[in-house]
Amino acid sequence: MKVKLRVLFLSISSLICAFSFGQDVLTNQIELSHDNDFILLSDRYYSSGLFISYRKKLAKELFGNDNGQLDFKLGQEVYTPKQTQSENSAVFDRPYAGFLGLHTRYSFAAKNQLFETTLLLGLAGINSGAGGFQRWYHKVIAISDSPLWIDELQNSFHTNIYGTYTKEWELAPIPFGVRVALKPSFALGTRDVFVAQEAIAFFGRRNAINTSIANHRLGSQEREVFFALRAGVKYVLHNGLIEGNLFGDSSPVLKTPENILLLLGFDFYHRFNKNDYKIGIRFNSRETGNAKAHKYLQLAYALSF
């Protein structure tokens, strides 16, 4: 009898281990995310963004370990001036601009470090479909008048390269962990040229940098519940959605962007089994001389499989 009970116990233990292992090695994820300032009672500047992402944890990355990941993100972004009901584009503080783009991101992690590079290919202008989508959206919800979308940026193809390096330090372990990170980044291309530095503080139950939802990383289903405070500065050399394509643009409304932007943010993250949830608030200082500061909300849900 004791032998049978021991065999039964070992069998159950093996099944539990096998199930846990299977759950820990989920290597694919699909995410839907939405940015919108309307929820925060404004409708201007970066008005909204709608994205779908697919992520794949690689079995073996270029440098010989298993910390590589490949991400694809397709998204449409909507930018409007504050003067959305004006028919005089001379008073605009920024041009109407729509953008449809595909981001291809490769990242790999080392100890307390994350390296990321992203290639962006996209279309700005009427062909992005952003203006038509926003007018349709306002017509459907019928809460406010639709922006007029006059003198929009002309159609233009864009390509960009982005690079990001993240370094983290753990100050206190879980259950109520504290981590801090520095995150320098750069962009080079026809849409964006900038360098930026961000500092982030994380508070709560969080995984290591290579598997945490904080960095959109796969590789673990350990539960995560934490929030983050962000502060950064960006030095802008070119913004193609304000001053047009880097190689020349004859759009009717073009503006000169502010060179220095201050960036603040708050995020709440939760990973439970196969599900990832994120709520964030972003605050940016004014992007042109006649504009004002701007804030918007970020919402995201992802399912791993």
Side-chain angles (χ1 to χ4, degrees), residues 131-188:
F133 176 79
Q134 190 183 51
R135 289 192 295 270
W136 170 83
Y137 177 77
H138 277 261
K139 182 179 179 180
V140 169
I141 63 173
I143 294 178
S144 61
D145 294 331
S146 172
L148 300 181
W149 281 87
I150 64 172
D151 291 341
E152 181 181 354
L153 279 184
Q154 293 182 354
N155 291 322
S156 179
F157 176 76
H158 289 269
T159 180
N160 239 85
I161 295 176
Y162 301 87
T164 303
Y165 168 73
T166 305
K167 172 66 174 179
E168 285 190 354
W169 294 267
E170 185 179 43
L171 304 185
I174 56 175
F176 192 79
V178 179
R179 292 173 180 261
V180 295
L182 291 177
K183 191 174 182 179
S185 60
F186 75 90
L188 182 62

Side-chain angles (χ1 to χ4, degrees), residues 7 42 60 70 87 116 127 134 148 160 167 171 193 207 220 223 226 230 248 250 259 264 270 301:
V7 171
S42 65
K60 192 172 185 180
L70 192 61
E87 296 182 1
E116 305 169 79
N127 286 348
Q134 190 183 51
L148 300 181
N160 239 85
K167 172 66 174 179
L171 304 185
V193 182
N207 291 341
S220 173
R223 187 177 184 185
F226 62 95
R230 299 173 174 270
S250 58
N259 292 125
L264 299 174
H270 180 39
Y301 167 73

